[in-house]
Amino acid sequence: MAAMKNCHNDYKMKFSVDEEFPDLSQHNNHMAKVLNKDIYSKLRGKSTPSGFTVDDVIQTGVDNPGHPFIMTVGCVAGDEESYEVFKELLDPIISDRHGGYKPTDKHKTDLNYENLKGGDDLDPNYVLSSRVRTGRSIKGFTLPPHNSRGERRGIEKLSIEALSSLDGEFKGKYYPLNGMTDAEQEQLIADHFLFDKPVSPLLTCAGMARDWPDARGIWHNDNKTFLVWVNEEDHLRVISMQKGGNMKEVFRRFCVGLQKIEEIFKKHNHGFMWNEHLGYILTCPSNLGTGLRGGVHVKLPKLSTHPKFEEILTRLRLQKRGTGGVDTASVGGVFDISNADRLGSSEVEQVQLVVDGVKLMVEMEKKLEKGESIDGMIPAQK
Amino acid sequence: MSDNIERISESMAKLSMKWLSAEDEYPDLSKHNNHMAKVLTLPMYKKLRERVTPNGFTIEGVIQTGVDNPGHPFIMTVGCVAGDEETYEVFKELLDPVIEDRHGGYKPTDKHKTDLNPDNLKGGDDLDPKYVLSSRVRTGRSIRGFCLPPHCSRGERRAVEKLSVEALAALSGDLKGKYYALKNMTEAEQQQLIDDHFLFDKPVSPLLLASGMARDWPDARGIWHNDNKTFLVWVNEEDHLRVISMQKGGKMKEVFTRFCTGLTKIETLFRDRGHAFMWNEHLGYVLTCPSNLGTGLRAGVHVKLPNMSKHAKFEEILTKLRLQKRGTGGVDTAAVGGVFDISNADRLGFSEVDLVQMVVDGVKLLVEMEKRLEKGQPIDNLIPAQK
């Protein structure tokens, strides 16, 4: 959206705070924990230069009260300025979600894969696959909850230009959602690359699925080890992956590919949104910082049934998911293990935690297989 | 502004944060089959994107649902909504042709008659209850001074609810009843409303969701009904108000009389509180979806027509009678056991009395035809002319 005056926000101001304040009594999400009438009163008169308002920020959290066990974020950014204009709301949410991260804290970015120690020798008998993903937002455009068709198409166009200039191991092809053949679609499904129109109300209520599938698509290299989603939940989602346990290689390709892409966008005067406080700026506050989730699919049938499994994961700063991704169950003792943190530690640090933590857990699994105790191996809190 | 935001805004301004062209923004409607897609050309879009209603509703708000829902090869959806009363004026160039196409050639200069005098209905008290199982009339109403469901704020929606609860609480006699707010009904109340087939759920249809009508659910939504369970009002679902009169059997006249009396009383109660219903002499009652303009009225019966419905000329007869059929689950459902929902096809350009008369006369004829076919007799001489 271009910067136009948001008449409707002014019109809403004729109603009092009490009349407009959402009913959050049934709600359990970060937004609902933080938003009170005082904050709402301060923020309701504001809008970002592109017209995003506090009601836009919170709509998804109002519409989705949340789950007693899973704490959703309940708010989104519509543009880079959202994090500044609505600081009073977003800073406490960021702090709560990202382990006490303060408004004055600085975030380190480190995409130098050579700083990663080890990571090339995770036992492939246990570690079935390795993957690193992140998101990137392109400066000068508003974000998926707020962008117009024209902006989204502009992002797609820039992305295609940038990606098609890649060569060597990164040489690849773009498949727009709106024009792929049946054969292409089936292949992308078989490769587990295809993304669908979001069905989660967390995303649809934030307006991210508007105009689907216009300007959405998938790019991947010929080797099928480097993949970019265009205009899904973020402008770009970048994924490096391969079978087996060579996380170092996956991370190398991730860093090299990302940096090549960033160079090209910078040349077009559209670098990635980043600042020294929040790191990479993304749609969901949970993905700020590195936006990075580095993980493996690993067989841990014995360790996962050990009473201290959860505690070990917490100490290692890791989280588990089923192999279908977030909100799925594990199958056959195979877990998706990844870093829990996003903001306040660098990419290298987060991938290091995964590499070291998974190595340790595989050793524990082997001990348990032999009927030995793992008590001496329980780590300290990282 | 803090240093940080000044820096960001400057760099944004330097980069290409200019107004994108109509060509850049024009939706891809190549796979679309709805009224909006048939009408919205690039030159029209170019013109309309410069405009905004006094309440801030834009062409994007009008068409989003039609862009997100390409439609069905067989069912022609409308593909656009109004966000306020002014939408129909500010975006005339789009909505007039959509209205014309949807409402049988209704022209921008045509005038719509409103007639809510039940005495003007002839007959309708003797539809054979062995065939006509139930009778129902529904319409919608929008309250002037508030934005419509796709665009209203929480404050507005709550104000609509508050006004509605006050107005309905003043009804008496046969119309005396109670309001059940969706967000704090007891489980027992909820179960009873489900059993009575009164409870409405959060919309799941992408046609409605894409237009923003389900925001803040279930805040300020509720159901009011009279103690006799023959008069029901939905608050803040797809329209500000949906008003329904219903009962078992074939006494459409009684259903319509209660409908008119109740509606007229409610209208007066709202007026007394400084809020009229949205109405004008061209479009009649103004509602969220252009398909419901005019009377917003759907009058129908559940009627057993197992023989008639298999007759080769069934569809043709319905068309001539200006009626439409649905399954007994409502729109998009199938008929069960030869029982059909038969109702008026028109909304705009005919009065309420005209439309209910068509239902009454048409259903009476269909039942006669059914009886003939039961006896193995032909119905050829009963086939009506086009109404």
Side-chain angles (χ1 to χ4, degrees):
Chain A
M1 293 305 289
M4 77 181 185
K5 188 166 167 56
N6 191 331
C7 310
H8 187 247
N9 205 42
D10 292 346
Y11 173 80
K12 251 188 271 184
M13 295 302 287
K14 72 182 193 191
F15 289 89
S16 73
V17 170
D18 282 323
E19 286 166 330
E20 290 289 351
F21 188 74
D23 178 351
L24 300 173
S25 54
Q26 309 295 318
H27 289 59
N28 184 45
N29 57 53
H30 283 292
M31 180 279 290
K33 283 175 74 182
V34 170
L35 185 70
N36 54 41
K37 285 190 183 170
D38 213 41
I39 294 176
Y40 187 70
S41 179
K42 278 201 187 102
L43 298 181
R44 69 193 291 249
K46 300 189 183 175
S47 81
T48 67
S50 75
F52 206 64
T53 66
V54 76
D55 283 321
D56 296 325
V57 173
I58 67 173
Q59 190 68 60
T60 181
V62 175
D63 288 346
N64 296 290
H67 194 275
F69 307 142
I70 298 167
M71 183 68 107
T72 45
V73 177
C75 58
V76 292
D79 49 24
E80 194 166 4
E81 291 89 331
S82 295
Y83 288 102
E84 195 57 45
V85 173
F86 304 111
K87 284 179 84 53
E88 278 98 338
L89 172 64
L90 294 172
D91 279 350
I93 289 172
I94 288 166
S95 183
D96 205 10
R97 180 63 175 212
H98 294 283
Y101 195 77
K102 295 188 299 297
T104 47
D105 284 337
K106 302 273 178 271
H107 171 84
K108 291 188 281 203
T109 292
D110 182 359
L111 283 161
N112 186 348
Y113 64 91
E114 286 172 337
N115 290 341
L116 182 71
K117 303 191 206 10
D120 49 358
D121 62 349
L122 297 172
D123 188 339
N125 291 316
Y126 293 83
V127 180
L128 307 179
S129 61
S130 307
R131 180 184 187 267
V132 180
R133 69 87 158 150
T134 190
R136 289 292 184 264
S137 305
I138 301 167
K139 250 178 132 54
F141 294 96
T142 60
L143 298 173
H146 193 46
N147 58 18
S148 67
R149 282 181 296 274
E151 288 193 275
R152 214 184 288 114
R153 290 163 179 173
I155 291 162
E156 186 191 35
K157 189 161 178 287
L158 265 176
S159 302
I160 291 172
E161 276 182 45
L163 295 166
S164 57
S165 68
L166 296 174
D167 60 8
E169 63 175 321
F170 294 107
K171 186 168 157 315
K173 186 176 168 186
Y174 182 70
Y175 302 85
L177 249 54
N178 204 8
M180 59 177 72
T181 65
D182 281 354
E184 286 170 338
Q185 187 172 306
E186 280 185 37
Q187 187 60 58
L188 287 166
I189 291 172
D191 291 328
H192 303 288
F193 285 174
L194 188 64
F195 64 89
D196 267 328
K197 179 172 180 172
V199 292
S200 165
L202 300 175
L203 300 182
T204 54
C205 291
M208 296 189 216
R210 284 170 303 125
D211 313 310
W212 203 274
D214 196 310
R216 274 82 168 193
I218 292 160
W219 179 96
H220 70 78
N221 66 351
D222 297 338
N223 298 339
K224 296 187 182 178
T225 53
F226 193 76
L227 170 67
V228 179
W229 290 353
V230 178
N231 286 319
E232 195 236 9
E233 186 182 333
D234 283 294
H235 289 165
L236 303 176
R237 282 287 177 98
V238 178
I239 302 153
S240 170
M241 61 211 262
Q242 67 193 49
K243 296 261 183 247
N246 196 345
M247 182 59 95
K248 193 175 182 80
E249 173 64 12
V250 170
F251 188 55
R252 182 203 63 79
R253 188 184 313 112
F254 176 81
C255 294
V256 171
L258 252 183
Q259 281 161 332
K260 280 188 197 287
I261 295 170
E262 180 155 22
E263 278 314 303
I264 301 165
F265 273 98
K266 269 202 184 117
K267 277 209 199 93
H268 285 84
N269 287 324
H270 285 283
F272 293 150
M273 289 182 198
W274 179 94
N275 69 51
E276 60 172 8
H277 167 51
L278 296 177
Y280 288 101
I281 303 287
L282 293 176
T283 305
C284 182
S286 69
N287 282 322
L288 291 165
T290 60
L292 186 143
R293 195 172 90 83
V296 298
H297 283 187
V298 55
K299 284 191 208 169
L300 299 172
K302 299 207 145 33
L303 185 55
S304 57
T305 50
H306 192 283
K308 296 208 176 195
F309 183 46
E310 300 285 343
E311 192 191 321
I312 290 164
L313 286 172
T314 305
R315 288 181 180 209
L316 292 174
R317 308 195 73 85
L318 300 176
Q319 58 172 217
K320 72 180 199 303
R321 300 180 182 192
T323 51
V326 70
D327 296 336
T328 65
S330 84
V331 176
V334 180
F335 285 82
D336 177 316
I337 303 290
S338 62
N339 54 298
D341 305 309
R342 302 273 183 275
L343 176 63
S345 49
S346 73
E347 289 81 356
V348 167
E349 285 168 344
Q350 289 167 8
V351 177
Q352 193 71 64
L353 284 166
V354 175
V355 156
D356 296 347
V358 169
K359 191 162 192 179
L360 180 63
M361 289 194 292
V362 169
E363 279 177 41
M364 287 176 163
E365 180 70 21
K366 289 173 173 174
K367 279 257 176 112
L368 291 171
E369 272 172 25
K370 293 187 222 147
E372 290 167 20
S373 149
I374 56 166
D375 293 340
M377 296 168 78
I378 311 272
Q381 177 67 54
K382 295 213 170 287
Chain B
M1 281 204 292
S2 74
D3 284 340
N4 201 32
I5 190 155
E6 258 177 39
R7 186 183 56 73
I8 294 171
S9 287
E10 247 175 57
S11 50
M12 287 280 273
K14 273 192 215 139
L15 297 169
S16 49
M17 204 58 195
K18 59 184 183 295
W19 187 237
L20 291 163
S21 72
E23 285 79 7
D24 289 329
E25 294 288 359
Y26 182 68
D28 177 355
L29 300 172
S30 54
K31 304 210 166 46
H32 289 58
N33 183 45
N34 56 53
H35 284 292
M36 179 279 292
K38 283 173 74 180
V39 170
L40 186 71
T41 60
L42 176 57
M44 186 186 288
Y45 178 72
K46 212 173 188 142
K47 221 194 232 168
L48 296 181
R49 68 194 291 256
E50 309 276 311
R51 301 186 193 164
V52 69
T53 70
N55 304 309
F57 202 60
T58 65
I59 187 66
E60 304 300 343
V62 175
I63 68 172
Q64 190 68 61
T65 180
V67 175
D68 288 348
N69 296 290
H72 195 275
F74 306 144
I75 299 168
M76 184 67 104
T77 44
V78 177
C80 54
V81 292
D84 52 22
E85 191 165 8
E86 293 87 335
T87 299
Y88 288 101
E89 196 54 46
V90 173
F91 302 108
K92 285 180 84 53
E93 283 93 330
L94 170 66
L95 293 171
D96 280 349
V98 168
I99 288 167
E100 186 161 348
D101 204 11
R102 180 63 175 211
H103 293 284
Y106 194 77
K107 296 189 296 300
T109 47
D110 285 339
K111 301 274 177 271
H112 171 82
K113 319 186 259 197
T114 292
D115 182 358
L116 282 160
N117 184 348
D119 294 337
N120 291 341
L121 182 70
K122 302 190 205 17
D125 47 3
D126 62 349
L127 297 172
D128 188 341
K130 292 199 229 33
Y131 293 83
V132 180
L133 308 177
S134 61
S135 307
R136 180 183 187 268
V137 181
R138 70 86 160 150
T139 190
R141 290 292 185 263
S142 306
I143 302 167
R144 187 162 275 163
F146 296 100
C147 293
L148 298 173
H151 195 50
C152 66
S153 70
R154 279 181 298 272
E156 289 190 278
R157 210 184 291 110
R158 289 164 178 173
V160 166
E161 185 193 35
K162 190 161 178 286
L163 260 175
S164 304
V165 170
E166 277 180 38
L168 295 166
L171 293 172
S172 60
D174 171 49
L175 295 174
K176 186 172 158 312
K178 186 177 168 186
Y179 182 69
Y180 302 85
L182 247 56
K183 76 175 170 186
N184 57 21
M185 61 177 67
T186 66
E187 289 211 19
E189 286 169 339
Q190 187 174 305
Q191 194 55 55
Q192 188 60 58
L193 287 166
I194 291 171
D195 293 340
D196 292 327
H197 304 287
F198 284 174
L199 188 62
F200 63 89
D201 267 327
K202 179 172 181 173
V204 293
S205 165
L207 300 175
L208 298 183
L209 296 175
S211 71
M213 293 188 218
R215 285 170 302 127
D216 314 310
W217 202 275
D219 198 308
R221 273 83 169 191
I223 293 161
W224 179 97
H225 70 79
N226 67 350
D227 296 336
N228 296 340
K229 297 186 182 178
T230 52
F231 193 74
L232 170 66
V233 178
W234 291 351
V235 178
N236 286 321
E237 195 236 10
E238 186 183 333
D239 284 294
H240 288 164
L241 303 176
R242 283 286 177 99
V243 178
I244 302 153
S245 171
M246 60 212 265
Q247 67 192 53
K248 296 260 182 249
K251 290 197 167 153
M252 183 58 94
K253 183 153 181 104
E254 207 175 295
V255 171
F256 187 56
T257 303
R258 185 184 313 110
F259 176 82
C260 294
T261 309
L263 252 184
T264 312
K265 285 207 162 92
I266 294 170
E267 182 155 18
T268 307
L269 291 164
F270 271 96
R271 258 221 194 90
D272 289 347
R273 285 157 180 78
H275 288 279
F277 290 152
M278 289 182 198
W279 180 94
N280 67 56
E281 62 172 7
H282 167 51
L283 295 177
Y285 288 101
V286 176
L287 294 176
T288 305
C289 182
S291 69
N292 281 321
L293 291 165
T295 60
L297 185 142
R298 194 171 91 85
V301 298
H302 284 187
V303 57
K304 286 193 208 168
L305 299 172
N307 292 297
M308 190 62 226
S309 56
K310 296 202 207 75
H311 193 281
K313 296 204 175 196
F314 185 45
E315 301 282 347
E316 192 193 316
I317 290 166
L318 286 174
T319 305
K320 291 196 173 179
L321 293 173
R322 308 193 73 89
L323 299 177
Q324 60 172 213
K325 73 184 197 304
R326 300 180 182 192
T328 51
V331 68
D332 295 335
T333 65
V336 176
V339 181
F340 284 82
D341 176 318
I342 303 289
S343 63
N344 53 295
D346 303 300
R347 302 274 183 272
L348 175 65
F350 298 89
S351 74
E352 289 80 356
V353 167
D354 290 338
L355 296 176
V356 178
Q357 193 70 66
M358 282 183 225
V359 174
V360 156
D361 297 345
V363 170
K364 191 161 189 177
L365 181 62
L366 288 167
V367 169
E368 272 188 52
M369 288 174 163
E370 180 68 23
K371 288 174 174 174
R372 283 258 186 112
L373 293 171
E374 272 172 24
K375 295 188 220 143
Q377 291 166 10
I379 55 164
D380 297 338
N381 64 336
L382 291 180
I383 311 265
Q386 177 65 53
K387 295 213 170 290

